[in-house]
């Protein structure tokens, strides 16, 4: 669980720093157009911080880390997010500086998206396996009320 909290915390810091970077770079370059830097901040906060806080809550409920697939999910998702956000930052920075980013940046960003998707698939498989492993609540000891008793009320 500590690993999930640390990941959320790290992405919170990166999200705030990326917003600061966007503001300061565009201000220093007197840039007023559209750039991907403008959405890096929200991507990092949503896909990083908020996402890992939700996974932390799911871990508390379903013990996701007990699954062997959890480690694969964690590292593949993080790699995908870092690559995706890194390429967004590079592309946005080059746009602000008036340079072309080229096809390689788009290709690497696509690889980041593929890894994000693979990580999400692994997360859903992990959740499914943990749900199946959870003991179902028993109703054997529950008190039952006879239908005739309900009519008397």
């Amino acid at each position: 669980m500590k690993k999930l909290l640390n990941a959320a915390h790290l992405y919170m810091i990166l999200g705030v720093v990326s917003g600061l970077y966007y503001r300061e770079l565009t201000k220093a370059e007197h840039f007023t157009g559209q750039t991907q830097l403008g959405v890096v901040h929200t991507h990092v906060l949503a896909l990083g911080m908020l996402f890992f806080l939700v996974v932390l809550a799911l871990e508390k409920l379903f013990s996701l880390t007990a699954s062997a697939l959890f480690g694969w999910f964690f590292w593949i998702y993080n790699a995908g997010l870092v690559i995706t956000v890194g390429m967004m930052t590079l592309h946005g920075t080059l746009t602000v500086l008036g340079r072309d980013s080229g096809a390689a940046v788009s290709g690497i960003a696509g690889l980041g998206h593929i890894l994000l998707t693979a990580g999400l698939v692994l997360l859903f498989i992990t959740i499914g396996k943990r749900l199946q492993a959870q003991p179902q609540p028993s109703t054997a000891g529950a008190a039952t009320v006879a239908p005739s008793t309900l009519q008397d009320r």
Side-chain angles (χ1 to χ4, degrees):
M1 286 200 322
K2 186 79 168 166
K3 185 176 5 179
L4 294 169
L5 181 61
N6 288 340
H9 188 199
L10 177 64
Y11 285 121
M12 184 273 303
I13 293 167
L14 290 174
V16 171
V17 169
S18 68
L20 177 67
Y21 176 71
Y22 164 66
R23 187 190 71 194
E24 293 303 317
L25 181 65
T26 55
K27 188 166 68 172
E29 294 294 322
H30 305 289
F31 183 84
T32 57
Q34 293 291 322
T35 174
Q36 282 192 349
L37 283 180
V39 295
V40 170
H41 169 75
T42 52
H43 275 71
V44 174
L45 290 176
L47 296 175
M49 183 192 71
L50 291 176
F51 177 80
F52 278 108
L53 288 175
V54 169
V55 173
L56 178 63
L58 292 171
E59 161 63 17
K60 187 74 173 163
L61 289 172
F62 304 114
S63 302
L64 299 177
T65 54
S67 171
L69 289 177
F70 182 82
W72 284 98
F73 144 72
F74 185 82
W75 293 112
I76 289 173
Y77 183 87
N78 275 295
L81 186 54
V82 167
I83 291 170
T84 299
V85 168
M87 291 301 104
M88 289 175 72
T89 303
L90 178 59
H91 180 74
T93 300
L94 291 173
T95 301
V96 170
L97 297 176
R99 299 193 183 122
D100 185 30
S101 61
V105 172
S106 295
I108 296 169
L111 175 64
H113 283 82
I114 291 168
L115 289 172
L116 278 172
T117 302
L120 289 171
V121 168
L122 287 169
L123 176 64
F124 275 88
I125 292 170
T126 301
I127 292 170
K129 288 182 180 283
R130 294 305 301 155
L131 284 175
Q132 290 175 353
Q134 293 282 331
Q136 298 299 319
S138 173
T139 58
T144 58
V145 177
S148 61
T149 309
L150 291 175
Q151 291 173 347
D152 295 338
R153 289 184 180 173

